[in-house]
Amino acid sequence: MEERNLQAIDGATLMGLHLEPTRFCVDTLLPQGVCFLGGASKIGKSWMVLDWCVRIAKGEPVWGLPTQKGTTLYLCLEDTLRRVQDRLNRITEEVPGNAYFSAQAETMAGGLLEEIRRFVGQHPDTVLVVVDTFAVVRALGGDQTYGSDYQEVRQLKALADELKITLLMVHHVRKLGDSDPLNRLSGTTGIVGAADTVLILERSRRSADCATFYATGRDTEYREMELRFHRETCSWELLSDTLEQPEKRLPQEMQSLVGFMKKVKTYKGGNGDFAQAFNQYAGTQLTAKVLKQLMKQWRFCLEDQGVRFVNRRSNGRRLVEVFYTPPGDEGDGGDAESPGTGKSPAAPL
């Protein structure tokens, strides 16, 4: 039997890696990974995801939230293409060519994952695949235990991670209520445990046309959104959001850092000296440790603003090189490398 070593990485190397941030096809709401949307029958889940597929394919916002434009695939497995066509005619005047639909698909045991893999291979800009509903593609037979539910969803998660897409599974909820709406998905808690994101659409007691939309996940903050369904356009309107639309803007300290680097252009030296120079400019009192933690946390946003940094060690001393290049300029510092070396940093700050 072939022996395999555990693929482990030390903390210093991990902290020095330049890892891609999580991608969202709907900003702050629908991240890459496997997501579950649950709701009672006939509540309007299919209208919602159909609208999302069209909007994301066009690159249009969803409830004011930016979307990542790309190919979408909607597996409408409880409907016919004629019914989907009728619905499309009610929600939009134009359906883009990069929005795809299918009323047939294999089950997970029969080859669904490979079907999706082939589709994404043919359409590499795919950002969203919707399966409506999960019950149609589940493995048939056998008891549904926590372990079996968890393993099924883990297969879907592995596929979504491999293809770097959002895989959205439309699912039903149990008729028996639960004090926590996020625990109402049909099946065991193994589904919630393995999913990256859980979304629940629950009808409001105040109005037949209104609903509360609950959302939580590994890469999203918990939020509750009040929605209203417009029967004329068959679309959901956002009324309120407990998570006020998050702005992906830098905190004040990092905005000051951008201003500081615009002024000095390049800095090379010790961490403590850099923190002192920055504090003098910004009127702050950040320690070198806090400053470097903020820079790491907001690294990708800083790069969008033209600020890049490289961490080094020399004779046991921690050093930092920070440089500013106007966004879009391909001059020095245009890559996450040390200027003039062409090598990525290997040591943490």
Side-chain angles (χ1 to χ4, degrees), residues 38-45 171-174 200-203:
S41 297
K42 313 304 180 185
I43 193 174
K45 303 185 298 297
H171 197 33
H172 300 298
V173 292
R174 295 192 300 269
I200 299 293
L201 186 63
E202 184 178 77
R203 196 175 305 281

Side-chain angles (χ1 to χ4, degrees), residues 102-114:
S102 177
Q104 300 180 63
E106 293 289 345
T107 64
M108 290 181 62
L112 172 68
L113 304 189
E114 189 55 37

Side-chain angles (χ1 to χ4, degrees), residues 188-208:
T188 72
T189 54
I191 293 176
V192 176
D196 291 302
T197 305
V198 176
L199 313 168
I200 299 293
L201 186 63
E202 184 178 77
R203 196 175 305 281
S204 172
R205 296 178 180 178
R206 294 174 295 178
S207 171

Side-chain angles (χ1 to χ4, degrees), residues 10-17 310-313 343-349:
D10 66 89
T13 302
L14 175 59
M15 294 303 289
L17 290 180
V310 177
N311 312 312
R312 301 201 175 283
R313 287 181 185 271
K343 297 181 180 180
S344 298
L349 187 63

